Amino acid sequence: MTMDRLLVMRSLVAVADTESFAGAAELVRTSASSVSRHVAALEKHLGVRLINRTARAVTLTENGVRYTVFARRVLDEIEREERSLTEANAGLTGTLSVICPKWLGSLDLGDAIADFSVRHPEVEVRLALGGVQDRAYAFLDNGFDVSFHTRPLRDSLMNLRRIATLPFVLCASPAYLDERGRPREVHELARHDCLTHDHKLCWRLKEAGKEQVHRIARSSFAANSYLALQKAAVRGRGIALLPLRSAHPSIATGELEVLFHGRERSLCAVHGSGAATPRKVSALLDFVSQWFAENPSPRGGQPTVVG
């Protein structure tokens, strides 16, 4: 009789998990004697002993531990592939939980995700703004499917997808610059009032095609919202480094002047590892990527003063 390799693998893994034939039988929904026969058949096929049987316990041998690790890997891979195929042929439904920093969700990313929800009303989207932790996989522990951010990814076990490039500009109101002067070089910012996001005390700016670092000695106004910083800048409180997407309307109307360009940031989406990406996740990432491609960053935003 030909041995069912997957069946005996499942029986062996169940024995390893329960340390008994009776417990394994409950997991695989068969009899203890059948589990015992499965293991014995596998041992005969391999020519090695996989478990030690005593009156009190059933334990794995060294070879048993090794083969059980292999069996788990095979069974897990089969389960992932079957789930992938099932989801690929199923409708796009279910709950999709997404988390991102407040400033991303309050700008165009929030618009893109809202448009995705309109396109796919059968998907229940749950979007959380804020609370993104430094650990790359923390969002999975907290029950989220996708995390958007602009930070480098340091965990190779996570899947990352670059969505778009976000340009930044250093701006101030004409009234503030008329009173305090227009800096022509980055080092001249030292005498100006700086508006900072989350108390970040370092700006990376472009001057004459080269990146310059300005270290802020004192923040005159700080907020965890770029929209709040923009409001303060428009009112003449100081100079702020802002996403061009949000600042562009104020630049176009003359409420803000661009002094320098900042370092661009990559908008990235991170989701769990695995051979198969859930269809609802891949659908969201495809949609958001296309949304940003069709809605590129506005043009303009050239510095009014060339350093």
Side-chain angles (χ1 to χ4, degrees), residues 113-161:
I113 294 176
D115 286 347
F116 171 83
S117 184
V118 172
R119 177 74 61 84
H120 300 284
E122 66 278 11
V123 178
E124 181 183 350
V125 177
R126 297 179 180 177
L127 175 61
L129 305 187
V132 178
Q133 300 179 27
D134 290 335
R135 291 182 299 122
Y137 55 85
F139 71 99
L140 294 174
D141 295 339
N142 293 325
F144 292 98
D145 300 298
V146 182
S147 174
F148 287 92
H149 60 73
T150 59
R151 298 179 291 105
L153 181 69
R154 295 184 175 86
D155 193 330
S156 60
L157 296 180
M158 296 291 102
N159 287 320
L160 177 143
R161 180 163 173 178

Side-chain angles (χ1 to χ4, degrees), residues 180-222:
R180 300 289 296 273
R182 287 167 171 77
R184 296 179 178 274
E185 297 180 353
V186 170
H187 70 84
E188 296 178 9
L189 294 171
R191 60 183 175 83
H192 285 272
D193 293 336
C194 298
L195 316 180
T196 60
H197 187 262
D198 276 345
H199 296 283
K200 287 186 174 64
L201 299 181
C202 179
W203 286 340
R204 297 185 181 276
L205 307 171
K206 295 178 182 178
E207 180 185 317
K210 296 182 179 180
E211 183 174 278
Q212 303 287 340
V213 178
H214 172 61
R215 302 192 183 281
I216 303 168
R218 184 182 67 86
S219 172
S220 59
F221 182 93

